[in-house]
Structures are given as structure tokens and as C-alpha cells.
Amino acid sequence: MSSIKIECVLRENCRCGESPVWEEASNSLLFVDIPAKKVCRWDSLSKRVQQVTVDAPVSSVALRQGGGYVATVGTKFCALNWEDQSAVALATVDKDKKNNRFNDGKVDPAGRYFAGTMAEETAPAVLERHQGSLYSLFPDHHVEKYFDQVDISNGLDWSLDHKIFYYIDSLSYSVDAFDYDLQTGKISNRRSIYKLEKEEQIPDGMCIDADGKLWVACYNGGRVIHLDPETGKRLQTLKLPVVKTTSCCFGGKDYSEMYVTCARDGMDPKDLLQQPEAGGIFKITGLGVKGIPPYPYAG
């Protein structure tokens, strides 16, 4: 095993950094800062950060096949034009729930944009429960709703053979799997494949690697855990120097680097002094495994 190196590559002070996505074409990492209403793009070569500010909390961002990006802003799926800094709504969900917002989202292998909602928090992880739902935006811009009664819709990804959908509702403290139909986007047969241990805290964002194993960022746990979804076993724990780790993705050359986002909101001054890199972007190298490129939205 090569030696694992964990470093903060961007001291961004995100209030709640989330949804890291690698954009190969620009050698950049996209991510959002949810309450700051910002979509950010960090150029890994020049080390510069560009940002677009939107008009509501922005919880996820994804690549778009025809260029530009898509994002979940408030309760809207939006098209994001980086050049003129505009966000145009493609669809709106949860119209009857004024206190809701989107949370994590990701594009499936067929180009649909899956994302779920939650009630707006009164404090980190403190919220009215069972208010969220899971949706997907199809390439023709119609929206399908899969299920409701969600607490905090979070990490999601698909197995390499496109037959299983992995999903996290954070307050269930579980990583779940569904049978998944690539042709229709339908999901069924929900089951738990991993229950988090107490010290792992709250499961948050998630990604899959080229070996079909999962990596889950643990909010308040200061770690990313490496899981085998077939055996339900934890293979490895990566501990970071910040406690509020939120999400992870692979990127960089050959997708051999892992990028991890984290948050500052909810930390007291003492914690912030002890964790000066809180809210930054971390790069982990030497994992000996690669990721897969993100799928772009096909609409």
C-alpha cells in the first residue's frame, strides 16, 4: 500500500462545503457552499477559485452534456451558465413545503439528475423530520418522485454494472441499496447494506470507486469510511483533521486523488481554533484506487 497523504489544498472557509465534482476538461473541482449560496470552481493548476452566487441555498452541482452545469437551488433544478453567472429553473419540487430545500444530488449513468430534499435546519442536523423526498430530473425536464418521508436526503451513487442504486438518508444512520433499472430510472427493493457505528456519526456524501467499493463522508465523525457494499464490511477509515466532513469524490489525473469537502457552521470558536482548516477542501493521495468520471446531465 502506498503511503496515504491528506492535505488541505484550499482554505476556503466554507460554511457548509458539499457536492464535490471533478471536471476533467478544465482540471477543476466544482463544489458548493450551501448556506452561502455559492457554486465554486477551483482550478487545480492555477489554484484559483471562481464562484457564482445564486438566490437560494445551493446544495449540489453537476456537469451538463451540452456544456455548463446543472445545480439544485432551493427547491429548483436549475441550469447554470458560468459565463453570464445565471441560474435558470428547469423544474420545481415540494411546492407545498415552503420550509424545504434540496440537499445532495448526482447524475445517474443514463443522464438523469437525482436529488433529494429536506426541511431547512434550525441548527446543523436539527430539523423537522420526514419532510423530504427523492426526485430525479429526466433529460426532457420532467420530474419523477421516488418516495417521501425522508429526513436528510444525502449521498448517492450507482454500482458499476448500473444495477444497484446506493443512497443515504442521514438520520437513518445507514447506507441503503435499491435494485435499479437503467432504462427507466426506477428503483425498488430497498435494503440496508451498512449501519454506521456510534463514533462514525452521521453518514453524509458518498462516491463509488473503480473497484465498485463505496466511500462515505461522516459528518461530525471527521472521517471517510471505505465500504464493501457486497459484504457490508468496512475496509478502511480515513481520518481528517476536521470533524465536519461532508462529501467526497475522485478526481485529478486518472481519478486517482480523492477530494473531500467539509463545513464550519455549528462549530464553536474553540473548535475553530483547533481545526483551522475547517471549511476547506482536502486532497487525499496514495489510496491505491481510482474513481470513475462523473456522469453529465443529458438534458
Side-chain angles (χ1 to χ4, degrees):
M1 188 91 183
S2 51
S3 66
I4 294 171
K5 182 181 174 195
I6 300 176
E7 59 177 324
C8 182
V9 290
L10 179 63
R11 293 277 289 263
E12 185 63 12
N13 285 349
C14 287
R15 289 179 56 193
C16 185
E18 264 284 5
S19 184
V21 182
W22 186 256
E23 183 177 44
E24 205 172 316
S26 62
N27 286 299
S28 298
L29 184 77
L30 289 150
F31 60 95
V32 301
D33 184 348
I34 300 177
K37 306 176 184 176
K38 288 193 309 202
V39 181
C40 304
R41 186 170 69 187
W42 175 70
D43 184 317
S44 66
L45 305 178
S46 72
K47 313 296 186 202
R48 280 205 290 272
V49 184
Q50 295 176 306
Q51 58 192 46
V52 170
T53 303
V54 292
D55 64 359
V58 54
S59 58
S60 74
V61 62
L63 310 180
R64 195 175 185 185
Q65 208 169 288
Y69 310 107
V70 281
T72 47
V73 181
T75 51
K76 294 179 169 70
F77 284 106
C78 292
L80 194 65
N81 183 317
W82 202 265
E83 276 53 57
D84 67 10
Q85 305 231 326
S86 66
V88 177
L90 302 175
T92 305
V93 304
D94 285 1
K95 290 179 185 164
D96 56 330
K97 297 197 168 174
K98 296 290 174 235
N99 196 38
N100 274 21
R101 67 162 175 83
F102 268 118
N103 202 38
D104 208 354
K106 193 172 279 183
V107 177
D108 82 352
R112 306 174 191 97
Y113 190 7
F114 276 64
T117 56
M118 59 183 281
E120 189 62 87
E121 295 160 304
T122 51
V126 179
L127 72 163
E128 190 181 349
R129 297 192 61 170
H130 313 308
Q131 296 304 301
S133 299
L134 180 68
Y135 297 95
S136 83
L137 178 71
F138 278 60
D140 65 2
H141 299 178
H142 92 271
V143 173
E144 300 246 338
K145 177 176 173 175
Y146 294 100
F147 49 81
D148 53 18
Q149 298 294 310
V150 174
D151 286 322
I152 301 178
S153 192
N154 237 319
L156 55 175
D157 219 328
W158 290 264
S159 62
L160 302 183
D161 65 4
H162 306 158
K163 289 184 173 162
I164 301 171
F165 169 58
Y166 300 110
Y167 176 71
I168 291 168
D169 178 352
S170 288
L171 297 188
S172 71
Y173 298 92
S174 170
V175 180
D176 291 353
F178 295 77
D179 296 343
Y180 166 72
D181 185 314
L182 180 67
Q183 262 33 68
T184 62
K186 293 220 178 325
I187 57 175
S188 58
N189 186 26
R190 185 175 191 167
R191 63 259 184 205
S192 174
I193 54 165
Y194 183 79
K195 290 276 191 204
L196 274 81
E197 292 174 16
K198 199 169 170 57
E199 73 275 8
E200 290 170 340
Q201 295 284 344
I202 302 173
D204 200 331
M206 165 170 63
C207 68
I208 199 163
D209 66 27
D211 295 335
K213 307 294 191 280
L214 299 174
W215 299 80
V216 179
C218 300
Y219 183 82
N220 283 344
R223 67 192 70 194
V224 175
I225 54 175
H226 183 196
L227 308 177
D228 184 334
E230 286 178 18
T231 63
K233 297 272 187 288
R234 185 182 65 235
L235 305 171
Q236 188 180 7
T237 299
L238 305 173
K239 292 200 174 169
L240 282 86
V242 290
V243 75
K244 292 188 181 292
T245 33
T246 55
S247 193
C248 52
C249 78
F250 284 92
K253 186 172 157 41
D254 316 325
Y255 292 88
S256 62
E257 304 165 345
M258 177 179 280
Y259 289 90
V260 181
T261 51
C262 61
R264 293 170 69 82
D265 271 13
M267 294 176 65
D268 62 34
K270 182 167 111 323
D271 291 337
L272 287 169
L273 277 174
Q274 289 167 347
Q275 300 171 43
E277 296 164 330
I281 302 292
F282 288 82
K283 179 170 85 170
I284 306 179
T285 51
L287 289 174
V289 64
K290 292 176 179 173
I292 59 169
Y295 304 110
Y297 174 61

